[in-house]
Amino acid sequence: MTTGSRKTSSRGTGAAAGELPTDLPTGSPGAYNPYGADVREGVDGVPLTGAVLLALLAAEHADVCVIGALTADAAEASYELCLAAPDRNPFPVGARPVVVRGTVAYGGDLPGGLTGWLPIRCISVVEHDGSVTDTAGRVEEERLAILREAGLAAAEVYDGPQEGGGRLTDVQRRVVRAAEEETLVPLAKAGGRLAETFAGALGDEAVALRRIQEQCRDLYGRLEPERALAWALEELGELSQAMRRDESTVRVEEELGQVLVWALCLANITRTDAAHAFAKGFTAERDRQLRKHGAIRPYRREVPSC
């Protein structure tokens, strides 16, 4: 975690309300955008641009966009996400649109050319005196206020007045706000557990799993949690039945496939990253075996005695 004092860029002090600081980039989200060159129109059919466009795209992709500064650790295995306090005007130095999915963030065009999804190990905040502290030491309500302030409101200030730039419609604004609530409230509850449950990246396997998760989102959409859980549990029950009855391999594959698909659907519904969730579970079991046995010792089926 980065600590101590850090220079900040003004986003309000000494400028008219809504005026864009001169040292912050505007226009297309570009390298900050993991979704490709999607186009969306806002009020009066005017195309959206900049952080506001990315906020809408993120909401549509089961993610959320905040304005903050990302810093990778020395091993380039995780990010620190630095935000501004809700009652403080300046953005952190290096602030940019950041897409967040569960407890991972997408960094684009960072120092050293780093681009991609990495776990968030720490969420910090710029204090009134310019120092930076970990939000894990704050109560949940304060963490949530910091995250909310970094959302759509910050994106609109970040973009500032852009000639020809579009504005979100009321419907689009509700979509973004709903995404923020669904994502930021659980993230605020995480607190200091971000570092405790951090798991290293999976590399190419994570990229492949994220693509599959996105394909499930495009095919299945995002049901309400209660109905999705009911269907997922129903598929798990059918898989259990097929295994207990020693049914054919084809039948087991059908039911196992449904369980796997619905697990990814639940990741989309909860706006979490399946790749990082898998890495957490895998890492936790590996570490448990190492602590208990001093080596990897896989579970083995008991062999009946003669």
Side-chain angles (χ1 to χ4, degrees):
M1 180 188 73
T2 304
T3 57
S5 298
R6 180 182 296 166
K7 180 182 176 183
T8 57
S9 303
S10 173
R11 76 176 185 192
T13 305
E19 182 177 341
L20 181 68
T22 58
D23 57 347
L24 295 177
T26 62
S28 169
Y32 316 144
N33 177 4
Y35 311 117
D38 287 336
V39 177
R40 296 290 184 276
E41 295 180 347
V43 174
D44 298 328
V46 179
L48 299 172
T49 60
V52 170
L53 170 60
L54 189 54
L56 180 59
L57 293 177
E60 293 176 351
H61 287 78
D63 301 327
V64 71
C65 176
V66 297
I67 302 298
L70 278 182
T71 305
D73 61 13
E76 296 187 349
S78 64
Y79 290 132
E80 174 189 351
L81 174 61
C82 183
L83 308 173
D87 54 352
R88 177 182 171 84
N89 279 327
F91 284 120
V93 163
R96 61 186 63 203
V98 177
V99 174
V100 175
R101 176 181 298 169
T103 60
V104 301
Y106 184 82
D109 197 26
L110 294 173
L114 179 62
T115 297
W117 296 93
L118 286 178
I120 302 171
R121 194 162 195 156
C122 165
I123 299 177
S124 57
V125 61
V126 180
E127 304 288 1
H128 286 282
D129 60 2
S131 63
V132 178
T133 59
D134 191 339
T135 59
R138 296 181 178 237
V139 298
E140 180 183 322
E141 291 77 10
E142 291 179 346
R143 291 196 297 269
L144 181 56
I146 292 169
L147 288 165
R148 281 174 170 161
E149 186 69 14
L152 180 57
E156 291 175 330
V157 174
Y158 180 91
D159 282 344
Q162 298 186 54
E163 184 176 352
R167 294 178 294 111
L168 293 174
T169 65
D170 290 341
V171 172
Q172 291 170 336
R173 185 174 291 274
R174 287 196 295 271
V175 169
V176 174
R177 290 300 190 192
E180 290 181 349
E181 288 303 296
E182 291 180 10
T183 303
L184 300 182
V185 172
L187 186 57
K189 292 179 179 179
R193 298 204 67 222
L194 288 173
E196 294 173 8
T197 61
F198 162 76
L202 295 175
D204 292 340
E205 293 85 352
V207 174
L209 185 52
R210 288 190 180 106
R211 287 175 179 165
I212 297 173
Q213 180 179 345
E214 291 165 1
Q215 290 171 357
C216 286
R217 180 202 64 227
D218 295 340
L219 180 62
Y220 288 82
R222 298 179 64 249
L223 290 172
E224 60 274 17
E226 293 79 8
R227 186 153 56 125
L229 275 172
W231 287 359
L233 290 173
E234 180 181 344
E235 296 298 345
L236 183 60
E238 291 179 2
L239 172 62
S240 174
Q241 186 180 70
M243 293 176 63
R244 289 178 181 276
R245 292 180 176 178
D246 198 21
E247 296 189 17
S248 72
T249 302
V250 171
R251 173 68 172 157
V252 172
E253 286 177 344
E254 290 174 349
E255 299 305 334
L256 179 59
Q258 290 298 322
V259 170
L260 293 174
V261 164
W262 276 104
L264 293 175
C265 288
L266 292 176
N268 286 323
I269 291 167
T270 56
R271 297 181 185 270
T272 53
D273 182 69
H276 192 217
F278 176 85
K280 285 184 176 184
F282 187 90
T283 301
E285 174 58 21
R286 180 198 64 194
D287 292 347
R288 186 197 68 81
Q289 291 188 24
L290 290 175
R291 286 194 305 270
K292 184 175 182 178
H293 307 296
I296 299 299
R297 187 173 296 179
Y299 299 106
R300 302 193 184 281
R301 178 179 298 187
E302 293 183 2
V303 179
S305 57
C306 298

